[in-house]
Amino acid sequence: MLEKIESILKEASEWSAKSAQDVENFRLAFLSKKGKLNQLFDEFKQVPNEKKREFGQELNKLKTKIEEKFSTLQEQGNESGGHSADRPDIFLPEVPDGLGALHPLTLTRRRISEIFARMGFNSEDGPEMETDWYNFTALNFPENHPAREMQDTFFIAKGKEQKDDTLLRTHTSNVQIRLMEHQKPPLRSIMIGRVYRNEAISARAHCQFHQAEGLYVDKNVSFRDLKDTLLHFAKEMFGKDTKIRLRPSYFPFTEPSAEIDISCFICKGEGCNICKKTGWVEIGGAGMVDPFVLQSSGIDPEEYTGYAFGMGIERIAMLKYDINDIRLFFDNDVRFLSQFKGA
Ligand code: PHE
C-alpha cells in the first residue's frame, strides 16, 4: 500500500497542465469519485487494524498534496489565459449592461415636484384606497349628485351608509381634505399619485393614471395667484413661450372652476394633430377652493381663501415626450422604456 501511495504521489506531482482540459483530466484521474484517491480509500478498508494508523496518516498526506497540486494547476491555468470571474473570455458575445432608465412618468413626476418645490410647495401623499367621504362627499359631491357620473370607480367594500364605502380614489383631491383636516393655513402643497377610474382602456384613456394636485390656502389667496402659478409652471415644463388659457368649467369643490389649457408647443398655436387643430391642449382642472370645502375641513372661509388644481401626469408626459398611446406607460416594454435613457 505504501508503494502505491508513493507512485501516485509521484505521478501527481509530475503532472503538468497546458490547458483547462489538462487540469480537468487531473481532477478526473485523482479526485473524482472513481479517481485514484478514492480507490485507495476503498482499499484502505481492507488494511489490517494494526496498520491502519500508519497507512491512514500517509493516505491523508497524499490527499492534501493532491488537493494542493490541483489548486496550483488551476491557478496556473488562470494566469496563462484561463477564464475566471476577474478574467473574462473576451471572445464571448457582449453581456448587455444592466443600466436601466427612469420611467417617463417618474421623470415627469420629479420635474413637476421640482418646479413646484421652487415655488414653496412641499410634497404630500395620501391613500389610493379611500373612503367615499374623502373622495366625494367632503369635496362637495353629495350622494346621487350627477357630478359623480364623471368619475366612476372601483368599489372595494360597501359601508353601512353610502359615505363609508371604500373605493379606489378617482383623483388626488382626496389629499386636499386630509391635509386641511390636520394642518392650519398657510398651506402650500403638491400631491402626486396614482388614481383609478372605471373607463374603457384605449390609446387616450386608462383605468389607472397619475395626477399632480396642488393646494394653496392662506389669507388673501386670489385667482390671480392661481393663474400666475400655472403660467410659471407651464413655462418651466414646456418652454418659455408657452401660454395658458383658463376655460370656465365646473367642479363641485372649486368655485369658480376652470380647465387649464396650454398653447400647443408643437405647432406653436397654428393647429396640428396633437391639439386637434385648435392650438390648445388641456392638461388639467383648477379653481378657488369652495367655501363649503374649507368649512367642512375645519378652516374658516371668512378668514382664509385658497386655490387648487389637478393635472394629468400621463397627459403632460405624452405631450413632453411625444407619446401617442397611454397604454405604453403600463406595458413595461423595454423597447419603449429604453428610449428614456438620456432623458
Ligand atoms: N380633481 C379634478 C379631476 O380629477 C381636477 C381638479 C383638481 C379640479 C383640483 C379643480 C381643483 O378632474
Side-chain angles (χ1 to χ4, degrees), residues 307-319:
Y307 67 66
F309 56 83
M311 298 186 289
I313 297 184
E314 278 76 2
R315 172 56 72 88
I316 293 173
M318 286 169 88
L319 288 170

Side-chain angles (χ1 to χ4, degrees), residues 161-176:
E161 296 161 48
Q162 166 100 15
K163 82 181 185 95
D164 293 321
D165 284 355
T166 310
L167 44 88
L168 294 182
R169 67 173 175 189
T170 56
H171 49 185
T172 38
S173 303
N174 63 326
V175 196
Q176 284 189 32

Side-chain angles (χ1 to χ4, degrees), residues 151 170-173 176 197 209 211 213-214 251 253-254 257-258 284-287 308-311:
Q151 303 192 0
T170 56
H171 49 185
T172 38
S173 303
Q176 284 189 32
R197 292 203 192 163
F209 55 100
Q211 286 189 337
E213 187 91 9
F251 297 103
F253 44 96
T254 47
S257 303
F309 56 83
M311 298 186 289

Side-chain angles (χ1 to χ4, degrees), residues 226-244:
L226 170 64
K227 241 170 109 177
D228 270 352
T229 309
L230 292 175
L231 178 61
H232 178 75
F233 166 75
K235 285 175 185 262
E236 288 287 299
M237 191 76 200
F238 299 106
K240 279 205 178 64
D241 300 330
T242 314
K243 297 186 183 67
I244 61 162

